[in-house]
Amino acid sequence: MGSQQLLYTGKAKSLFTTENPDQLLCQFRNDTSAFDGQRIEKLDRKGMVNNYFNAFIMEKLATHGIANHFVKLQSDDSSIVKKLRMIPVECVVRNIAAGSLCRRLGVEAGLELNPPTFEFFLKNDELHDPMVNDSLILTFKWATQEDIDQMKAKAFAVNEVLKKLFQEAGLILVDYKLEFGHFNGQLLLGDEFSPDGCRIWDAATKKVLDKDRFRKEMGDVVEAYEEVAQRLGIKLPEVA
Ligand code: ADP
Ligand code: TMP
Ligand code: ASP
């Protein structure tokens, strides 16, 4: 890959330049963070598992017409992606009540949400990712009305594809967070889709198989991610 320069170090991923100015190398690290970076630990194999997990999901979404930044796997823990101008909001879709929705609205965890909900959060760790709405996004020019409409439509289109995919593996896709960005005038899904940014439960037992295991100190975090990967048919390299 030659002359890579570190462009950005986030809580869980690092972005490097590549020889192609339109593309970045995205490295998935073992760092695992909770509560907006207040707790960070290194979990063996997590970067590798999330890299393969994300590649599988992004490729699946692309085959269903949901354009995204993924270009190709580069190594066990890194992928080449299109360099996006990111929109600084997070899009959360929920099929089942959990997490902050229950805390904010006092609804019972596990309640089926019909229709599924959509929320915007501002990407800002210092402010603990406050919830925002279309009006605030427009006023502060974080995105245009067209971006807002497209983010909502694409976030729900992702749900149609992934809810079914997880269901067929005996899993429930409880909720997930997406980030979008611009590339050559097109709005693309960026960042990642992995158990770090969604909630996944076993359909029969409701066993938690996502980053809530880390947040709630339940143990076997990466083992749970690997179980989901295996049930979705994602091939992971053998452990040395
Ligand atoms: P955070 O910044 O929240 O700590 P990460 O550790 O996951 O998160 O860092 C990845 C960063 O890269 C995020 O800020 C995300 O918005 C940004 N990003 C994701 N995909 C792309 C992309 N294709 N082009 C440019 N930036 C991206
Ligand atoms: P929440 O219940 O904490 O609002 O989270 C909803 C979903 O979005 C959950 O799957 C975790 C994910 N998420 C992130 O990945 N990063 C974030 O910064 C936030 C706020 C949520
Ligand atoms: N993704 C956020 C963080 O890394 C919030 C969370 O997952 O709890 O802190």
Side-chain angles (χ1 to χ4, degrees), residues 7-47:
L7 206 63
Y8 177 79
T9 306
K11 296 188 293 296
K13 301 194 290 300
S14 300
L15 297 176
F16 297 85
T17 59
T18 67
E19 281 142 26
N20 183 337
D22 286 336
Q23 296 186 347
L24 298 175
L25 179 80
C26 177
Q27 185 200 12
F28 291 75
R29 307 195 314 274
N30 288 340
D31 295 315
T32 311
S33 98
F35 316 116
D36 307 317
Q38 279 177 37
R39 186 152 71 86
I40 298 193
E41 283 173 34
K42 281 194 201 311
L43 299 180
D44 251 13
R45 304 193 308 282
K46 196 211 59 159

Side-chain angles (χ1 to χ4, degrees), residues 11 36 90-94 98-104 119 121-123 125 128-129 174-179 191 194-200 210-212 215:
K11 296 188 293 296
D36 307 317
E90 303 186 336
C91 304
V92 171
V93 173
R94 299 177 199 262
S100 77
L101 185 85
C102 297
R103 286 197 299 277
R104 280 180 282 123
E119 293 147 90
F121 295 93
L122 179 65
K123 224 179 125 56
D125 284 336
H128 301 293
D129 293 350
V174 172
D175 58 31
Y176 54 88
K177 183 264 298 176
L178 303 175
E179 293 180 29
D191 203 48
S194 79
D196 264 6
C198 68
R199 290 192 172 93
I200 303 159
D210 55 70
K211 200 163 87 171
D212 269 351
R215 296 187 188 100

Side-chain angles (χ1 to χ4, degrees), residues 118-160:
F118 180 94
E119 293 147 90
F120 282 122
F121 295 93
L122 179 65
K123 224 179 125 56
N124 185 318
D125 284 336
E126 290 82 63
L127 300 177
H128 301 293
D129 293 350
M131 193 182 194
V132 294
N133 60 23
D134 301 26
S135 165
L136 291 166
I137 291 173
L138 292 173
T139 295
F140 292 107
K141 302 196 170 29
W142 294 316
T144 65
Q145 186 63 55
E146 195 192 338
D147 293 333
I148 289 172
D149 295 343
Q150 281 202 40
M151 286 192 284
K152 287 183 190 172
K154 286 174 195 281
F156 282 123
V158 165
N159 206 27
E160 288 312 302

Side-chain angles (χ1 to χ4, degrees), residues 146-237:
E146 195 192 338
D147 293 333
I148 289 172
D149 295 343
Q150 281 202 40
M151 286 192 284
K152 287 183 190 172
K154 286 174 195 281
F156 282 123
V158 165
N159 206 27
E160 288 312 302
V161 178
L162 296 190
K163 220 164 57 169
K164 185 158 170 284
L165 183 81
F166 281 79
Q167 210 167 45
E168 286 166 357
L171 300 163
I172 302 172
L173 181 58
V174 172
D175 58 31
Y176 54 88
K177 183 264 298 176
L178 303 175
E179 293 180 29
F180 293 88
H182 290 279
F183 181 82
N184 284 345
Q186 224 195 335
L187 188 78
L188 300 183
L189 173 62
D191 203 48
E192 72 180 282
F193 194 103
S194 79
D196 264 6
C198 68
R199 290 192 172 93
I200 303 159
W201 296 347
D202 179 272
T205 64
K206 307 289 186 290
K207 181 184 171 188
V208 170
L209 297 167
D210 55 70
K211 200 163 87 171
D212 269 351
R213 297 196 72 83
F214 178 72
R215 296 187 188 100
K216 298 180 180 175
E217 306 193 59
M218 297 163 81
D220 291 336
V221 179
V222 180
E223 287 78 2
Y225 290 20
E226 285 174 318
E227 181 183 332
V228 176
Q230 185 247 323
R231 286 169 68 171
L232 291 175
I234 301 171
K235 289 238 179 320
L236 298 174

